[in-house]
């Protein structure tokens, strides 16, 4: 597919503008220093799991990024939903600090409030304004981007030298792009319009026409493997015999879990299983085009002799499930399959063929990239921390953080879902056989802990019960057994305290030692006062 003349013209014009300027001695020196900084590429997929084998179709990606660098086995998202998670990536903040709570405009997804308060503080904006980077974005931004109530496609977020943003949510055909604020419509001709390939083409155009006097940051945000799961025609017949993994938590009843999980029908209907298997195959097929995109970008960087000075990150905004605990498919739950994501990084000073078990989160991506650019994250309001020391082999389990926060605010309708009238109002994302994937009180917060001595998850729901779920992931990797009623009460109280502290943290206070860090000091007095009511309810329901 040849790039449009509009895109070519814009690339050339912006490149010329970047190169024009007063070239005095001081300016030339700054330009030299800037050009020596590493380049950074972030490839972000949409709904790509790791627990269900999501990396299986990405053979070239695993070879070109994972095998050439480091793969993280304990990478998590701060929220298992597109818009809140993407907001966390961009801002380096937990949802309680960037205030994006769901995928709607009312939930602050690409709202005018987001644009005014958060966009100026994103890590790309800081890379551009403070670190001298030229910045490029292509693909899905936030789910409500382009809404007329929030500036439409004419709004170009702060921080981007080149902007090619998809209007609203993931699509593969029949979509509109904002090309630096000007709409560009696409139809259903594969040779010109298949979005994953379009993103690959415009990314290579950027590399061709960019200034060679500045380092660059390039973010490519693919639609795959998000629904509607439309594969490229050459991949439409792949994986005919593949089906969703039948792991131990597949099609079993979550009898000791939150009511929303317990309402799922077990065993699932044959039609639901057939539907999720078909979707699973289609998801994998869409990823083959992502694999092609990664290969083209890496090969182009190598041909330009820029690969050795470029960090390449590959990850996803959240995981996904297909039949776990008899939930047909979605991504809004607290379990490993929804909150754990792939993360692979290659770049300068990263040794190849590494695997790291250290805990990293998507709120850490921005701080890490700012650190790569030489900008001090302590000058920001970010909650995450740089894992550049991990990439360079300068951190180990004894010196690294032990926990991170996961937050989700459930969505539900004020009226009963026609598919599930028996459940009443407050549910959403319901399947025809009356299994709902979300609800108002599917609102929870978790501390996910990874330490040398423990691998666990502690979660509380914001409901009348203050329902608690706790998992020993070492002994129970599929999270079949909720141990909230059998775990040591002292540990439970400490985890409750840690969760409350993290839910009110901001910036450096989000990076304080966790319960299983030797530097942690437990002060029971902090559990009283404004948290007295919550603790009393917790003790009444669990600590008995």
């Amino acid at each position: 597919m040849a790039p449009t003349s509009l895109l070519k013209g814009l690339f050339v014009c912006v490149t010329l503008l970047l190169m024009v300027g007063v070239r005095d001695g001081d300016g030339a020196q700054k330009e030299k220093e800037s050009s020596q900084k590493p380049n950074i590429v972030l490839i972000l997929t949409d709904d790509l799991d790791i627990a269900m084998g999501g990396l299986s179709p990405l053979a070239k990606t695993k070879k070109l990024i994972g095998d050439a660098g480091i793969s993280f086995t304990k990478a998590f998202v701060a929220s298992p939903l597109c818009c809140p998670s993407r907001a966390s990536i961009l801002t380096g903040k937990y949802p309680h600090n960037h205030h994006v709570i769901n995928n709607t405009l009312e939930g602050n997804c690409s709202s005018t409030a987001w644009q005014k308060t958060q966009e100026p503080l994103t890590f790309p904006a800081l890379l551009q304004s403070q670190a001298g980077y030229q910045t490029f974005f292509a693909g899905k931004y936030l789910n409500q981007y382009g809404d007329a109530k929030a500036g439409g496609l004419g709004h170009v977020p702060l921080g981007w030298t080149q902007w090619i943003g998809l209007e609203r949510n993931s699509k593969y055909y029949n979509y509109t792009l904002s090309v630096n604020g000007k709409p560009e419509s696409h139809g259903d001709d594969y040779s010109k319009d298949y979005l994953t390939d379009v993103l690959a083409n415009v990314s290579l155009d950027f590399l061709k026409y960019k200034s060679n006097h500045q380092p660059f940051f390039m973010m490519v945000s693919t639609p795959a493997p998000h629904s509607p799961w439309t594969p490229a025609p050459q991949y439409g017949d792949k994986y005919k015999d593949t089906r969703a993994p039948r792991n131990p938590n597949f099609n079993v009843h979550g009898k000791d879990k939150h009511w929303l999980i317990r309402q799922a029908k077990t065993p699932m209907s044959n039609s639901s299983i057939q539907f999720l298997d078909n979707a699973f195959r289609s998801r994998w097929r869409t990823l083959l085009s992502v694999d092609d995109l990664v290969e083209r970008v890496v090969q182009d960087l190598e041909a330009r002799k820029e690969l050795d000075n470029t960090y390449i990150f590959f990850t996803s905004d959240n995981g996904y499930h297909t039949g776990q605990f008899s939930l047909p498919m979605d991504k809004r739950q607290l379990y490993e399959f929804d909150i754990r994501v792939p993360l692979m990084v290659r770049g300068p000073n990263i040794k190849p063929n590494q695997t790291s078990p250290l805990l990293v989160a998507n709120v850490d991506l921005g701080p890490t990239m700012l650190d790569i650019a030489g900008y001090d994250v302590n000058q920001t309001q970010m909650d995450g921390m740089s894992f550049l020391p991990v990439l360079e082999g300068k951190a180990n389990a004894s010196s690294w953080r032990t926990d991170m926060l996961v937050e989700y605010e459930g969505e539900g309708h004020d009226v009963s879902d026609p598919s599930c009238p028996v459940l009443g109002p407050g549910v959403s994302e319901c399947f025809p056989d009356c299994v709902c994937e979300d609800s108002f009180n599917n609102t929870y917060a978790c501390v996910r802990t990874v330490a040398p001595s423990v691998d666990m998850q502690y979660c509380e729901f914001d409901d009348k019960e203050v329902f608690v779920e706790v998992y020993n992931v070492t002994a129970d990797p599929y999270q079949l057994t909720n141990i909230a009623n059998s775990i040591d009460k002292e540990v439970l109280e400490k985890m409750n305290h840690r969760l409350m502290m993290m839910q009110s943290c901001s910036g450096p206070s989000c990076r304080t030692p966790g319960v299983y860090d030797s530097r942690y000091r437990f002060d029971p007095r902090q559990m009283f006062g404004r948290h007295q009511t919550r603790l009393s309810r917790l003790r009444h329901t669990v600590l008995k």
Side-chain angles (χ1 to χ4, degrees), residues 312-337:
I312 304 178
F313 294 73
F314 181 92
T315 190
S316 176
D317 57 359
N318 48 255
Y320 207 70
H321 60 259
T322 48
Q324 284 61 52
F325 302 124
S326 298
L327 299 172
M329 62 179 64
D330 196 50
K331 64 282 185 92
R332 293 168 170 83
Q333 307 306 326
L334 56 87
Y335 309 105
E336 293 287 282
F337 42 74

Side-chain angles (χ1 to χ4, degrees), residues 151-171:
L153 294 175
H155 171 69
V156 176
L158 286 175
W160 300 103
T161 310
Q162 289 284 331
W163 173 261
I164 304 173
L166 174 68
E167 182 180 31
R168 297 185 185 275
N169 207 356
S170 284
K171 290 184 177 181

Side-chain angles (χ1 to χ4, degrees), residues 79 82-85 87-88 94-104 107-111 114 118 142:
S79 186
C82 298
C83 205
S85 178
S88 286
Y94 288 118
H96 70 265
N97 286 328
H98 61 57
H99 307 299
V100 177
I101 61 172
N102 57 42
N103 288 342
T104 68
N108 203 29
C109 181
S110 202
S111 66
W114 157 268
Q118 301 302 321
L142 302 178

Side-chain angles (χ1 to χ4, degrees), residues 61-250:
T61 300
K62 288 187 289 184
K63 178 181 178 181
L64 294 171
I65 303 179
D67 293 351
I70 185 169
S71 298
F72 289 88
T73 60
K74 295 291 185 180
F76 295 90
V77 295
S79 186
L81 187 63
C82 298
C83 205
S85 178
R86 289 165 182 266
S88 286
I89 291 171
L90 291 164
T91 63
K93 297 178 182 179
Y94 288 118
H96 70 265
N97 286 328
H98 61 57
H99 307 299
V100 177
I101 61 172
N102 57 42
N103 288 342
T104 68
L105 203 63
E106 295 74 21
N108 203 29
C109 181
S110 202
S111 66
T112 53
W114 157 268
Q115 294 169 15
K116 292 177 181 177
T117 63
Q118 301 302 321
E119 281 186 346
L121 303 175
T122 62
F123 79 85
L126 294 173
L127 285 176
Q128 185 194 54
S129 65
Q130 303 298 319
Y133 277 66
Q134 54 190 317
T135 56
F136 169 83
F137 180 89
K140 175 179 172 179
Y141 179 56
L142 302 178
N143 296 55
Q144 296 302 321
Y145 174 73
D147 191 295
K149 297 177 182 177
L153 294 175
H155 171 69
V156 176
L158 286 175
W160 300 103
T161 310
Q162 289 284 331
W163 173 261
I164 304 173
L166 174 68
E167 182 180 31
R168 297 185 185 275
N169 207 356
S170 284
K171 290 184 177 181
Y172 298 82
Y173 293 111
N174 300 306
Y175 55 86
T176 302
L177 298 174
S178 168
V179 181
N180 292 325
K182 297 185 181 297
E184 179 180 278
S185 298
H186 285 258
D188 56 5
D189 182 339
Y190 170 72
S191 65
K192 296 185 296 185
D193 301 313
Y194 190 70
L195 182 56
T196 306
D197 291 354
V198 169
L199 298 181
N201 290 335
V202 297
S203 298
L204 298 189
D205 283 341
F206 168 73
L207 294 175
K208 179 178 180 179
Y209 294 113
K210 66 177 174 58
S211 168
N212 292 322
H213 302 286
Q214 286 180 281
F216 67 83
F217 168 67
M218 182 167 78
M219 181 172 178
V220 186
S221 183
T222 74
H226 195 286
S227 62
W229 313 306
T230 309
Q234 68 268 30
Y235 297 132
D237 292 329
K238 296 288 187 180
Y239 307 118
K240 285 184 177 180
D241 298 324
T242 299
R243 63 178 191 169
R246 269 51 171 177
N247 290 338
N249 54 14
F250 179 85

